[in-house]
Amino acid sequence: MSKLRIANLSPHLSHFFLALAALLFVLTGAHAQTRPNVMILATGGTIAGTGATSTTTVGYTAAKIGVDQLIAAVPELAKVANVKGEQVFQIASESMTNEHWLTLGKRVNALLAQSDVDGIVITHGTDTTEETAYFLNLVVKSRKPVVLVGAMRPSTALSADGPINLYNAVAIAGSRDAVGKGVLVAFNDQIHFARDVSKTNTSTPDAFKTPELGLAGYIQGGKPFFYRTTARKHTVDTEFDIANLNALPQVDIVYGYANMSPVALDAFIAAGAKGIIHAGVGNGSLAARVKPALIAARKKGTFIVRASRVGQGILARNGEANDDELDFVAADTLNPQKARILLMLALTKTNNTAEIQRMFYTY
Ligand code: DAS
């Protein structure tokens, strides 16, 4: 067709071809190929919980409804991704174990290695979300998004927060902007880095916070907005690999408080703990009645990490104790429950204190 004739092509005819193209796009499902493929791995928790009435927001039962029901309850998911569900566990997350973590981590890595999986959402109880998220942050071997999500109110409650949290998490997991950010936690329209987030309230929908180090960004209208990157290594940049691991070394946490004694510490050591996280008062201070027991444990080969029960701030090496002399490790800004995860993985790689300390300054 000559250039002149194309220029004169009736606008009505061009509108017809545009409408026809749009119709074909919808009918052939071509739009589905433009949406990301997101796997939803369900593990239980309040997001899957049910209560006796719509006003039951405490005293409900967690881990009751399955992943298919979670997905069916939010048909809007189809707007942002092609989703598939898999019920990995059905537990309240206070019962999460090292074995659950290894199973989940291996499943996540297997799925992310598939070219037809663009991202993963993990629905999870809120009690240990921060721990599972940090564990995965250290062992996932992909740059694809992994987003943990849960709910502070059961699915049967008035203004249940699970559906919108799930929609947001799927939108983030399918977003190219979330690639390479490490494992993320999505709650209450906010996006948090796995390393720095913690649950800060027993029951309110805004329980997840990253108080001083700051959240990663927000999710609004089905689109994530990131304002920070994390300074610490994660996922593909870590030295940890669980592919051939079937167990993690036993590490326990001793909680510090006025009048504490070495009884708990001694019990953990007697039970075979390979490492102890001392969640000390203040900057990880060691009570006079407990310090000798920690020193004795170290001499017998148990690794000691000084952390703090405080929640924010740097646990300074050689601050409240001479870590160089005692051969202890300082937890930096990791809270005790996350320090435990890093020490467990560190002990799968080394028995050298200086190497373990390097890891606490790296991850
Ligand atoms: N028991 C809590 C848990 O499973 C319920 C929740 O808040 O998700 O972590």
Side-chain angles (χ1 to χ4, degrees):
M1 189 182 285
S2 76
K3 282 185 184 169
L4 183 62
R5 288 184 62 192
I6 289 174
N8 291 336
L9 194 64
S10 150
H12 300 298
L13 198 54
S14 57
H15 290 158
F16 167 77
F17 281 119
L18 278 173
L20 183 62
L23 183 62
L24 286 172
F25 184 76
V26 173
L27 291 177
T28 58
H31 60 289
Q33 274 76 48
T34 63
R35 282 196 303 264
N37 298 323
V38 173
M39 275 299 294
I40 299 176
L41 302 183
T43 72
T46 289
I47 193 169
T50 57
T53 73
S54 63
T55 54
T56 305
T57 54
V58 289
Y60 54 83
T61 306
K64 293 298 282 181
I65 64 174
V67 65
D68 293 339
Q69 284 177 274
L70 290 176
I71 293 172
V74 191
E76 295 83 355
L77 294 178
K79 289 183 191 172
V80 290
N82 304 316
V83 296
K84 281 184 187 169
E86 191 171 298
Q87 193 79 40
V88 185
F89 318 123
Q90 184 68 296
I91 60 170
S93 77
E94 60 268 27
S95 301
M96 201 59 80
T97 64
N98 290 352
E99 289 68 36
H100 286 117
W101 281 345
L102 288 169
T103 300
L104 181 62
K106 290 172 184 175
R107 186 62 185 141
V108 166
N109 279 329
L111 286 167
L112 291 179
Q114 295 176 198
S115 59
D116 61 345
V117 175
D118 298 308
I120 287 181
V121 166
I122 298 170
T123 61
H124 194 288
T126 63
D127 290 356
T128 59
T129 291
E130 67 199 75
E131 297 179 49
T132 301
Y134 186 53
F135 172 75
L136 293 172
N137 201 49
L138 296 172
V139 304
V140 164
K141 294 305 162 193
S142 170
R143 290 172 48 77
K144 294 177 183 176
V146 175
V147 185
L148 273 79
V149 68
M152 294 303 292
R153 296 174 180 150
S155 63
T156 46
L158 277 175
S159 302
D161 53 333
I164 185 64
N165 284 349
L166 179 59
Y167 174 78
N168 286 343
V170 169
I172 297 164
S175 168
R176 288 194 186 88
D177 294 341
V179 170
K181 293 279 194 308
V183 172
L184 301 169
V185 173
F187 265 86
N188 196 38
D189 297 346
Q190 295 182 341
I191 308 170
H192 298 267
F193 293 119
R195 183 191 184 278
D196 306 325
V197 69
S198 52
K199 182 176 179 181
T200 64
N201 189 291
T202 57
S203 59
T204 55
D206 66 345
F208 282 82
K209 297 261 193 317
T210 307
E212 294 186 356
L213 296 177
L215 50 79
Y218 300 100
I219 169 86
Q220 199 171 72
K223 182 173 169 24
F225 297 86
F226 289 96
Y227 296 90
R228 287 192 327 107
T229 56
T230 178
R232 292 298 172 94
K233 286 186 177 181
H234 54 73
T235 56
V236 293
D237 295 327
T238 82
E239 57 207 281
F240 307 116
D241 184 344
I242 60 170
N244 300 313
L245 278 184
N246 296 311
L248 291 169
Q250 184 61 33
V251 173
D252 291 295
I253 302 174
V254 172
Y255 195 79
Y257 51 90
N259 196 50
M260 77 183 285
S261 79
V263 168
L265 171 65
D266 292 343
F268 283 136
I269 300 299
K274 299 290 183 283
I276 292 291
I277 308 297
H278 177 269
V281 296
N283 202 342
S285 311
L286 306 179
R289 283 197 294 185
V290 175
K291 187 174 178 179
L294 288 166
I295 294 170
R298 182 69 198 105
K299 286 194 163 69
K300 287 182 195 158
T302 303
F303 285 88
I304 307 295
V305 175
R306 284 195 310 114
S308 173
R309 72 177 197 180
V310 164
Q312 305 304 318
I314 295 174
L315 191 296
R317 184 171 177 80
N318 296 324
E320 285 297 328
N322 188 332
D323 297 307
D324 289 348
E325 181 187 297
L326 301 174
D327 201 34
F328 289 176
V329 174
D332 187 42
T333 56
L334 284 180
N335 65 27
Q337 53 270 31
K338 291 182 182 179
R340 172 181 165 267
I341 293 164
L342 182 51
L343 181 57
M344 285 196 295
L345 288 170
L347 293 177
T348 68
K349 300 292 290 184
T350 180
N351 282 322
N352 177 289
T353 305
E355 268 295 280
I356 296 172
Q357 185 66 75
R358 171 189 61 78
M359 294 174 182
F360 272 81
Y361 289 144
T362 304
Y363 302 113

